[in-house]
Amino acid sequence: MVKKKYSRREFVKKNSLAGIGATLTLGMTPAFAGNTMSSSSLPAVLGGQPVRTAAWPAWPDWNTATDEERVLKSLRSGIWSRADVVTEFENKWAETVGSKRCLVTVNGTNALITALTQLDIGGGDEVIVPPYTFIATVQAVLMTGAMPVFVDTDPETFQIDPSKIEAKITSRTKAILPVHILGLPCDIVSIMAIARKHNLVVVEDACQSWLAEVNNKQTGTFGNAGCYSFQNSKNIPMGEGGGIVSDDDAFMDRCYSFHNYGNPYGAIVGEVGAGTLMLGTKLRTTEYQAAIALAQLERLDAQTTIRNANAAYLRSRITDIPGILPYRLYDNVTRAAFHLFPFRYKKEEFNGLPVRDFQRALRAEGIPNMSGYTPLNKMPYLAHAFQTKNFRLMYSSDRLDYNNYLENNQCPMNDQLCEEAVWLFHNLLIAGKSDMDDIANAIEKIHKSAGRIKNQA
Ligand SMILES: *Cc1c(COP(=O)(O)O)cnc(C)c1O
């Protein structure tokens, strides 16, 4: 049997190029001719009828009639570098999330790097991060020269476990970088309390949690800064793009300068000789990308409402299936973003059917799914970072002892979560309520036949 684990990128590519699962069921039917199971109860992975053959909503969502006018206007104007459209999107985004200011950057990764460096995080500092996140979160910390310190995940919520943060705080800890991963808010209220107690900076990675709320206040607006991604796969995509929000004018002015060669805030883009104030780089995005984002922003709120309703319904439908443990939201969550819909899979309740085989069977039923993150606290990029020239200059060899580092950054709960997690991508959640029934029915169907799939797949 071919076992193949799809990365999100491969998944999205496959999903957009061909029908999901179409190739997985080929050539299997004859072996089961004369089977007593009806074709609809026979698992599709064994040649039965898939629960679903209809397509899922495409992503990104694009409506030629309503979305293209302002993009074309921007293209035809010949003004492609940062100008009025980027500013318009920044103002709208700040207003949408309830923050005073927003700066748009080339991507979410550089939004994080900008926010961290402009809050004076750098060489020698320790930054607390979760291991269950997209790689960009941790790379951003390393790019500033700071040292990531991993705090284990709460497997029920998929979020950083706030009860384990304080044990990791040292005299060198400067910041906490909580992530609202999968678009489910982390326990930001507890994290802010810890940060205040220990005088730490908080940069929220809200790169998957647009419009999500805790106590009716949006994620990304609790910390010193909040960072967003508008990359192609995200719930508000513009191709590549990111944003920083904050109420702190002086900080936002520095972020602006950093993203525009260190020139003063308000200096005209492209103006030569305005007097460069500080170290900077160039992270400006283009006008036509901002025009795409403005079009996407029009539907984000309505789609977020649909994702929340469908996720709640789907959760209620699958929560009693033995071996399926859907995410838990913290009690203070008033809205989630649902970039992904996650659940844990316990193979003991599926006759020992391995999770990857469960996923294949689910795909064969017409339900695309992904396996999610691998543990970021023990991957080769960390060893490489420690070997770079800058790290060797900034840290003692003691602090760069990789084995020691691995030992101090173990996250056993997260290791297990990575083995058990299954994700559904957010495009499934903007379908109809009856489409959620397809997902639940497919999981139930596989549950009933798990032993048979295990023996015959
Ligand atoms: C997407 C993402 C980022 C990085 O954003 P890019 O725009 O891809 O650079 C950072 N953190 C998380 C959690 C993300 O999902």
Side-chain angles (χ1 to χ4, degrees):
M1 185 178 60
V2 184
K3 286 193 188 173
K4 185 161 180 6
K5 194 172 93 185
Y6 294 115
S7 68
R8 182 166 79 187
R9 178 158 307 174
E10 285 176 302
F11 167 81
V12 170
K13 206 159 105 194
K14 273 195 164 332
N15 197 1
S16 60
L17 292 178
I20 284 293
T23 56
L24 295 174
T25 56
L26 281 182
M28 288 188 173
T29 311
F32 298 93
N35 199 297
T36 50
M37 257 181 147
S38 76
S39 166
S40 65
S41 62
L42 182 67
V45 76
L46 299 180
Q49 202 64 35
V51 168
R52 182 188 176 93
T53 49
W56 291 95
W59 197 261
D61 203 352
W62 189 249
N63 182 330
T64 310
T66 57
D67 298 349
E68 286 190 359
E69 191 186 321
R70 73 186 321 150
V71 179
L72 288 176
K73 193 174 156 217
S74 167
L75 283 175
R76 288 172 183 162
S77 75
I79 302 169
W80 296 340
S81 194
R82 189 198 155 103
D84 294 351
V85 187
V86 173
T87 304
E88 183 184 341
F89 178 62
E90 286 174 343
N91 292 339
K92 281 224 166 106
W93 188 250
E95 190 190 324
T96 300
V97 306
S99 194
K100 189 168 175 192
R101 300 258 300 261
C102 170
L103 175 76
V104 164
T105 59
V106 287
N107 51 45
T109 309
N110 277 283
L112 288 165
I113 294 170
T114 302
L116 289 166
T117 57
Q118 299 318 307
L119 289 163
D120 206 27
I121 309 300
D125 296 339
E126 291 177 358
V127 177
I128 288 180
V129 293
Y132 200 75
T133 183
F134 183 56
I135 182 67
T137 311
V138 189
Q139 293 282 27
V141 172
L142 291 168
M143 285 303 292
T144 70
M147 184 72 82
V149 172
F150 291 92
V151 167
D152 210 349
T153 311
D154 173 354
E156 284 193 7
T157 61
F158 294 71
Q159 309 300 313
I160 189 168
D161 187 338
S163 72
K164 293 181 177 161
I165 291 177
E166 280 196 286
K168 291 293 185 91
I169 294 175
T170 71
S171 59
R172 290 185 288 245
T173 310
K174 287 286 161 55
I176 308 177
L177 207 177
V179 184
H180 305 283
I181 203 62
L182 315 180
L184 315 180
C186 69
D187 186 1
I188 191 69
V189 172
S190 301
I191 291 167
M192 290 308 298
I194 296 166
R196 271 190 297 272
K197 182 175 159 194
H198 296 272
N199 201 20
L200 304 176
V201 161
V202 173
V203 174
E204 291 176 78
D205 182 336
C207 288
Q208 297 185 1
S209 68
W210 325 261
L211 309 196
E213 294 172 0
V214 171
N215 292 329
N216 300 303
K217 180 175 161 66
Q218 285 201 25
T219 58
T221 65
F222 287 81
N224 299 70
C227 296
Y228 300 87
S229 169
F230 308 115
Q231 187 269 344
N232 219 147
S233 68
K234 309 291 173 114
N235 299 19
I236 166 170
M238 62 192 266
E240 298 289 352
I244 306 166
V245 300
S246 174
D247 291 341
D248 181 341
D249 280 319
F251 163 72
M252 289 304 290
D253 288 355
R254 290 198 299 279
C255 288
Y256 186 99
S257 294
F258 183 74
H259 110 303
N260 191 34
Y261 316 106
N263 290 332
Y265 173 69
I268 295 163
V269 166
E271 187 184 23
V272 178
T276 303
L277 299 174
M278 52 176 267
L279 173 69
T281 180
K282 189 189 187 186
L283 303 169
R284 294 168 0 205
T285 195
T286 60
E287 291 281 275
Y288 42 86
Q289 285 177 286
I292 294 172
L294 282 166
Q296 296 292 337
L297 182 54
E298 295 288 325
R299 54 172 80 90
L300 179 64
D301 184 63
Q303 286 183 336
T304 302
T305 299
I306 295 170
R307 287 189 188 100
N308 275 268
N310 277 332
Y313 176 65
L314 176 58
R315 188 184 189 288
S316 75
R317 282 253 8 228
I318 65 174
T319 196
D320 292 331
I321 303 173
I324 300 293
L325 303 175
Y327 64 87
R328 181 174 79 78
L329 293 177
Y330 291 103
D331 291 343
N332 57 12
V333 172
T334 43
R335 195 185 202 190
F338 289 105
H339 181 52
L340 294 144
F341 178 106
F343 58 87
R344 283 178 292 154
Y345 171 85
K346 298 281 183 187
K347 69 173 183 205
E348 310 82 74
E349 302 285 351
F350 278 72
N351 269 300
L353 180 71
V355 62
R356 302 298 168 238
D357 293 340
F358 164 80
Q359 290 182 262
R360 263 164 41 84
L362 192 56
R363 255 175 235 131
E365 298 296 346
I367 314 298
N369 65 85
M370 295 169 266
S371 51
Y373 296 127
T374 46
L376 291 190
N377 53 321
K378 45 185 186 187
M379 279 180 14
Y381 73 98
L382 292 161
H384 175 260
F386 292 2
Q387 286 156 18
T388 57
K389 209 172 203 173
N390 285 354
F391 267 72
R392 283 186 284 120
L393 275 167
M394 291 184 293
Y395 294 91
S396 65
S397 57
D398 240 24
R399 287 182 75 192
L400 296 183
D401 180 332
Y402 190 53
N403 288 329
N404 212 14
Y405 180 85
L406 289 179
E407 183 71 26
N408 292 333
N409 283 279
Q410 289 183 23
C411 296
M413 302 304 275
N414 188 66
D415 292 346
Q416 194 182 338
L417 177 66
C418 291
E419 299 281 315
E420 296 174 346
V422 178
W423 294 351
L424 306 174
F425 195 55
H426 65 93
N427 69 315
L428 274 59
L429 299 176
I430 51 171
K433 190 173 173 187
S434 65
D435 299 297
M436 301 305 106
D437 287 321
D438 285 346
I439 301 172
N441 294 342
I443 296 174
E444 271 167 359
K445 182 179 170 187
I446 296 166
H447 184 256
K448 285 197 187 97
S449 314
R452 189 187 174 106
I453 297 172
K454 190 184 172 208
N455 293 332
Q456 296 187 325

